[in-house]
Amino acid sequence: RPLEPSQSFLRPLLEQLSLPLTPCGTPVLDDTLAWTDGLYMTGPYADLVLGPFARAIYGGQEAARRIVPQLLKAKQKV
C-alpha cells in the first residue's frame, strides 16, 4: 500500500494546491490519471482508476496510453 499523499513527498503539493483525496486518502484522478492540470499519477496512486494491475508493467503501459496524449495536446498549445 502506498503512503497516503498527506504523509509523503506529495504533502506540500497537496496543501499548496488543495488537491482532492478520496475518503481512503488516495488522489482523486480523472480518466487520464490527472490529479490536477499537468500532474499525473501512476502506480499505486492510480489503483482506483486502473484497477489491480496499476502497479504492474501493464499498468504502466496503460498509464502511458492515457497520459501521453494529454502531454502532446499541452505541447501543441504552447
Side-chain angles (χ1 to χ4, degrees), residues 29-42 46 49-50 62-71 73:
L29 306 179
D30 65 17
D31 288 338
T32 66
L33 304 180
W35 196 6
T36 189
D37 289 339
L39 178 60
Y40 301 91
M41 304 297 285
T42 64
V49 177
L50 296 180
E62 180 60 26
R65 282 191 279 276
R66 294 174 184 227
I67 295 170
V68 169
Q70 303 308 309
L71 296 176
K73 283 182 194 177

Side-chain angles (χ1 to χ4, degrees), residues 8-9 15-16 24-25 28 33 35 40 42-43 51 61 70 75:
S8 74
F9 69 95
E15 293 172 354
Q16 187 176 18
C24 63
V28 175
L33 304 180
W35 196 6
Y40 301 91
T42 64
Q61 292 170 338
Q70 303 308 309
K75 184 178 178 183

